[in-house]
Amino acid sequence: MKDKNLDFFKKQYLDTPIPDELDIVVKKALKDGRDYRMKRNKLIKRTSVAAALVVASVGLLTVGINSSPAFASTLGKVPIVRGIVKVLTFKEYTVNEDRFKADIKVPSIQGLENKELENSLNEKYLEENKKLYKQFMADMESMKEGEGYLGVDSGYVVKTDTDRILSIGRYFDNIMASSSTVFKYDTIDKEKGILITLPSLFKDDSYVEIISENIKNQMRERMKADDGFIYWVDVDEDEEFIEPFDKISENQNFYITEEGKLVISFDKYEVGPGYMGIQEFEIPTEVISDILVGNEYIK
Amino acid sequence: MLSKNDYLEERITEYVVNQKESFYRLAYSYVKNAEDALDIVQESVCKAISSMDSLKNPDYIKTWFYKIVVNTSLDFIRKQRKSVAVGEEVLSSFDFGAVDNYEDFDLQEALDNLPAKYRTIVILRFFEDLKIDEIAEILNENVNTVKTRLYKSLEILRIKLSDCEEVWNEG
């Protein structure tokens, strides 16, 4: 027999108003999830080929490299590469328990002529991932007795790999614990063996304002075009929880595309609500052409 | 021909589309506003599709997905730090006196006032008809803890079920 209070609570609960947007939000999420998975699958294939290449041609570092038998068969199709800058998975940490999952892949750049740069980047990658792993193990230890789920996923994506430019993005995703998705990029001039920073692309620091204005306009356009898009731009002042996007930082995350376009990237929560995830804006070259140092990288 | 992943994705998609309102209500019970609840649903669905490898057996899709929604909600609250702080204090205020004071009992707000880890159990058991062991799995608790909390919740909410089987019924 049901209790009248229970009936009341059930009715109250089931009467939670359902907003019309729910349908759109779910559809968009299904699509985003699919895109994200495809991106990851592509990335796994890529690293595998890169790893296989090194194992086959150079034969060093085999211990740390994760090669998979799955592409032994694809090896035959891989063109012969000489003295080329490559990114491969150097080391992988995994934990796979019921409530604790970690998948941490450390990228390693190989073949740069500037060994100092190569080493310092690789060391940085190893350090940041070691730290992540240590933190994860510590958190796991402290949560063993309690409740909750802990998941860490880190790895990398080669965004651009041309004769000239290598843009590598590392992602750090705390799946269900405390943090969020973070993407960090490094862009390298392979020919000169230098790390390209955002300020180094421009004559002066006016780029901060110019790029920020352009991004704000792009945000407004995207929001106008699609109701599912929300950015924290033109936020009402009484929205006390929201810090509106003002301008990019001097060293905002960026990468350069194969076509030589500058892309500015924001982490989750940085410019919009969580469901928007990582946000990227390609800056039209004509907007910044006057302040670029040259058109070596940005075209 | 459908690959295993395509099949899984289709199953999840179908499930999510059919059950979206349940997930939304559950998310809403944590954050109490539509905008954040939509965020949580969006994030949960996105996570589910992008990490569907973690669903070992498609038959467990229900507990698997509820688990994602619960964890995403808790995660969200922690991150936003704008949820109403409801904790053990509130619960203990029910323990001492409040239960006997009939005038103070506000039916309208009683469920909302329940701490999340108790409220979720009531929601999943009675409003979404999940079994006790499924709830334990979703919340990463053992079955006895879930039962104890459910019993406690019923006391606070002044729910009297003549047939105890209804509470513990696992089928």
Side-chain angles (χ1 to χ4, degrees):
Chain A
M1 197 191 87
K2 291 283 181 196
D3 172 272
K4 69 172 176 23
N5 279 8
L6 182 60
D7 285 341
F8 174 85
F9 293 130
K10 181 164 184 176
K11 185 169 182 313
Q12 188 189 39
Y13 180 74
L14 293 177
D15 280 347
T16 309
I18 306 287
D20 296 337
E21 300 98 292
L22 181 63
D23 199 41
I24 303 168
V25 164
V26 166
K27 280 190 188 127
K28 185 175 182 307
L30 286 167
K31 186 182 170 298
D32 285 355
R34 260 176 240 134
D35 290 351
Y36 186 65
R37 209 183 62 236
M38 301 230 289
K39 198 175 80 192
R40 276 224 297 232
N41 286 349
K42 220 163 101 192
L43 142 90
I44 289 164
K45 259 188 217 142
R46 243 188 192 155
T47 53
S48 311
V49 173
L53 262 179
V54 172
V55 175
S57 60
V58 192
L60 34 96
L61 276 168
T62 39
V63 182
I65 292 162
N66 306 286
S67 72
S68 133
F71 19 76
S73 61
T74 64
L75 250 184
K77 296 172 200 148
V78 176
I80 301 204
V81 186
R82 292 174 221 91
I84 271 186
V85 180
K86 277 286 154 201
V87 183
L88 54 123
T89 305
F90 170 66
K91 201 170 173 59
E92 181 160 2
Y93 302 97
T94 43
V95 173
N96 195 356
E97 290 181 28
D98 248 6
R99 293 159 47 213
F100 306 110
K101 300 206 190 305
D103 186 2
I104 298 175
K105 292 188 192 71
V106 187
S108 169
I109 298 175
Q110 304 290 326
L112 267 186
E113 273 182 31
N114 182 345
K115 287 295 159 205
E116 207 177 314
L117 175 65
E118 183 178 294
N119 289 340
S120 74
L121 288 173
N122 289 339
E123 234 163 74
K124 178 174 84 172
Y125 300 155
L126 191 59
E127 268 321 300
E128 62 192 12
N129 281 295
K130 255 190 194 162
K131 210 174 119 198
L132 191 67
Y133 182 69
K134 268 192 190 153
Q135 186 58 47
F136 177 84
M137 294 309 275
D139 288 349
M140 184 170 104
E141 213 41 57
S142 69
M143 282 170 67
K144 272 208 164 129
E145 296 301 313
E147 52 191 85
Y149 177 93
L150 198 59
V152 170
D153 185 6
S154 96
Y156 59 94
V157 196
V158 177
K159 278 284 184 180
T160 303
D161 189 3
T162 65
D163 290 346
R164 190 70 192 267
I165 282 175
L166 177 72
S167 272
I168 171 173
R170 289 102 62 219
Y171 58 83
F172 306 91
D173 196 1
N174 264 8
I175 299 170
M176 280 165 199
S178 58
S179 170
S180 48
T181 314
V182 173
F183 244 99
K184 289 181 185 170
Y185 290 101
D186 281 328
T187 295
I188 298 159
D189 178 337
K190 292 200 270 194
E191 235 169 67
K192 289 189 185 161
I194 52 169
L195 189 68
I196 303 169
T197 66
L198 193 58
S200 77
L201 291 170
F202 299 100
K203 290 176 191 159
D204 53 46
D205 57 13
S206 63
Y207 71 91
V208 172
E209 292 295 336
I210 292 171
I211 290 175
S212 303
E213 276 317 303
N214 181 268
I215 289 174
K216 282 188 214 168
N217 285 332
Q218 289 195 43
M219 287 175 171
R220 291 181 191 117
E221 275 165 33
R222 286 187 197 178
M223 286 199 288
K224 226 166 95 185
D226 187 337
D227 283 348
F229 280 67
I230 294 172
Y231 295 106
W232 292 327
V233 64
D234 309 325
V235 180
D236 290 343
E237 272 177 23
D238 51 348
E239 289 265 24
E240 54 182 315
F241 297 114
I242 294 174
E243 175 103 356
F245 168 66
D246 178 28
K247 57 184 177 194
I248 58 167
S249 77
E250 256 172 61
N251 283 302
Q252 187 71 39
N253 250 324
F254 77 99
Y255 63 89
I256 298 171
T257 67
E258 260 171 50
E259 294 79 30
K261 301 285 179 236
L262 176 67
V263 175
I264 300 288
S265 163
F266 294 97
D267 287 334
K268 198 173 162 185
Y269 302 110
E270 215 178 337
V271 292
Y275 77 79
M276 297 287 292
I278 304 269
Q279 284 295 314
E280 293 185 347
F281 296 87
E282 187 177 302
I283 308 301
T285 304
E286 63 265 25
V287 171
I288 46 175
S289 56
D290 286 350
I291 49 168
L292 282 171
V293 171
N295 50 9
E296 238 179 324
Y297 308 122
I298 309 286
K299 295 182 176 90
Chain B
M1 206 186 84
L2 284 181
S3 72
K4 182 179 161 257
N5 272 356
D6 289 338
Y7 168 74
L8 210 56
E9 189 180 307
E10 222 165 71
R11 282 279 301 265
I12 297 170
T13 303
E14 191 192 337
Y15 180 74
V16 166
V17 169
N18 287 334
Q19 300 297 318
K20 58 179 185 285
E21 300 194 350
S22 299
F23 304 141
Y24 175 83
R25 277 192 288 263
L26 182 60
Y28 189 92
S29 77
Y30 282 96
V31 290
K32 308 278 184 339
N33 78 78
E35 197 185 322
D36 292 345
L38 284 172
D39 270 12
I40 291 168
V41 171
Q42 143 73 283
E43 207 177 323
S44 305
V45 172
C46 201
K47 263 181 207 165
I49 290 286
S50 66
S51 61
M52 59 188 201
D53 309 340
S54 65
L55 177 60
K56 298 286 180 303
N57 181 345
D59 295 340
Y60 296 143
I61 189 165
K62 192 170 166 187
T63 38
W64 176 75
F65 203 94
Y66 270 110
K67 193 169 185 165
I68 296 178
V69 177
V70 167
N71 284 328
T72 307
S73 301
L74 292 173
D75 195 21
F76 191 93
I77 288 174
R78 252 178 251 135
K79 261 181 255 179
Q80 302 280 337
R81 287 201 205 109
K82 65 182 196 189
S83 66
V84 191
V86 184
E88 296 288 342
E89 324 80 62
V90 175
L91 189 70
S92 54
S93 79
F94 281 113
D95 277 352
F96 303 106
V99 175
D100 300 324
N101 189 343
Y102 282 78
E103 281 83 353
D104 278 0
F105 185 70
D106 185 342
L107 200 62
Q108 205 68 42
E109 290 181 0
L111 187 64
D112 281 347
N113 282 341
L114 213 55
K117 61 182 178 181
Y118 291 76
R119 189 179 56 235
T120 305
I121 295 174
V122 175
I123 289 173
L124 294 177
R125 178 68 198 95
F126 294 114
F127 311 158
E128 300 293 352
D129 287 321
L130 279 119
K131 300 170 194 161
I132 295 282
D133 56 344
E134 289 175 331
I135 297 170
E137 165 65 24
I138 291 167
L139 302 177
N140 278 318
E141 296 288 356
N142 70 46
V143 170
N144 283 331
T145 309
V146 173
K147 283 186 180 174
T148 312
R149 287 189 188 156
L150 187 56
Y151 182 71
K152 185 93 197 158
S153 306
L154 293 180
E155 205 177 301
I156 295 167
L157 296 174
R158 302 183 183 178
I159 293 169
K160 290 187 186 70
L161 297 176
S162 56
D163 186 358
C164 261
E165 283 307 303
E166 252 190 279
V167 179
W168 314 134
N169 183 9
E170 306 202 352

